[in-house]
Amino acid sequence: MLFVLCSQSGMCCGALLRTAVRPRLPKRFVVAASEFTDLPRFPVGFELAEALTAAAQHLHGTGTPDDTMNTAVSLAVRLLPDAEHAGISEIQRGGRLRTLAWTDETVRFAAEPRQGGHTPHRDWERLWTTPVVRTDDSEADGGGALSGLGLRSALSLRLRADRRRLTVLTAYARKPQAFDDDATRVGRLFVAHVSLALDSATVREQLTEAMRTRDLIGQATGILMERLDIDAAGAFDSLVKASQRENVKLRDLARRIVDANSASGGRGVTER
């Protein structure tokens, strides 16, 4: 059963939406169904809460964090008013950056550091302390990488942040002042869903990797027990010492042992 939550308070999308837009909008915000060509068909003019629900179902249906991020940037250009491109980037302390997902090469190029390795979006550093940064007109701000690519507006939303790295979803448009306060509200609701789905996909991937690692280490330990005629504790200790001596991750060393044993038909393992 899917519970679509927009904040840790447990409020549903509809409740958050009503709270967020009541002061400014006398009418309900609606999204045209044609904006979601790859989603299940809804009646024209379905509410934003329903659009977010559909988006959340797609996000939570992905298998890996990479799939989640690729789905998120694709949905962003359909859900955020006036968005034409979108990308997700990871920024490390000191300005090092890598692009994780993008809708097209224009976005990938826009997010890559220019000569000198600095972040192309000067305001991105503010996202360490604030959840949203908006560029209303890149030309008015002095040009730069965005203006050179014909991207006048950008809406950057913080997905994740810790002491070392910052993950940002950015929507772009070719016209100036494309993203107003309403688009920002929609964006913040959307990235709440993306963040939850990304955390869920990350946990699933880590659990899957842990299971695979456990199985590999168990197989390698069994091989060493048989070949070296030692008990399980001694085999595992031998594996750990070899990992430290060769400066190789335990799982990678275990994989080498298992692969070597398979290649030799079950003979010739000599790890000590």
Side-chain angles (χ1 to χ4, degrees), residues 176-193:
Q177 299 179 339
F179 304 114
D180 58 12
D181 290 345
D182 297 327
T184 301
R185 291 188 184 95
V186 175
R188 293 193 65 181
L189 290 170
F190 176 63
V191 296
H193 287 289

Side-chain angles (χ1 to χ4, degrees), residues 88-237:
I88 294 177
S89 299
E90 181 185 86
I91 308 165
Q92 296 185 3
R93 289 285 186 185
R96 187 177 176 183
L97 180 146
R98 64 182 180 131
T99 308
L100 304 177
W102 54 91
T103 53
D104 51 74
E105 289 301 313
T106 299
V107 170
R108 187 179 185 184
F109 187 75
E112 288 177 351
R114 305 279 80 83
Q115 186 175 2
H118 297 294
T119 301
H121 303 277
R122 291 168 294 180
D123 291 337
W124 270 1
E125 288 296 323
R126 291 167 48 202
L127 288 166
W128 291 100
T129 56
T130 187
V132 180
V133 167
R134 213 160 65 194
T135 300
D136 290 328
D137 190 347
S138 60
E139 289 189 5
D141 291 342
L146 293 184
S147 178
L149 293 168
L151 302 175
R152 300 283 295 275
S153 302
L155 177 63
S156 298
L157 302 136
R158 185 174 64 201
L159 273 176
R160 288 173 165 178
D162 56 34
R163 293 180 180 179
R164 294 181 301 167
R165 63 180 60 88
L166 177 71
T167 307
V168 180
L169 186 151
T170 302
Y172 302 90
R174 296 186 178 275
K175 71 177 185 178
Q177 299 179 339
F179 304 114
D180 58 12
D181 290 345
D182 297 327
T184 301
R185 291 188 184 95
V186 175
R188 293 193 65 181
L189 290 170
F190 176 63
V191 296
H193 287 289
V194 176
S195 180
L196 288 171
L198 193 54
D199 286 345
S200 178
T202 299
V203 169
R204 287 197 304 270
E205 185 177 65
Q206 290 172 342
L207 288 174
T208 299
E209 180 61 24
M211 292 293 291
R212 291 173 179 169
T213 298
R214 186 191 68 175
D215 291 343
L216 270 174
I217 292 174
Q219 291 178 53
T221 299
I223 292 168
L224 293 178
M225 289 174 62
E226 178 184 355
R227 296 303 174 188
L228 303 179
D229 193 24
I230 54 179
D231 61 16
F236 184 75
D237 184 60

Side-chain angles (χ1 to χ4, degrees), residues 30-47:
V30 295
V31 180
S34 60
E35 293 296 317
F36 290 82
T37 56
D38 61 343
L39 297 185
R41 287 292 180 184
F42 290 91
V44 174
F46 66 92
E47 293 186 47

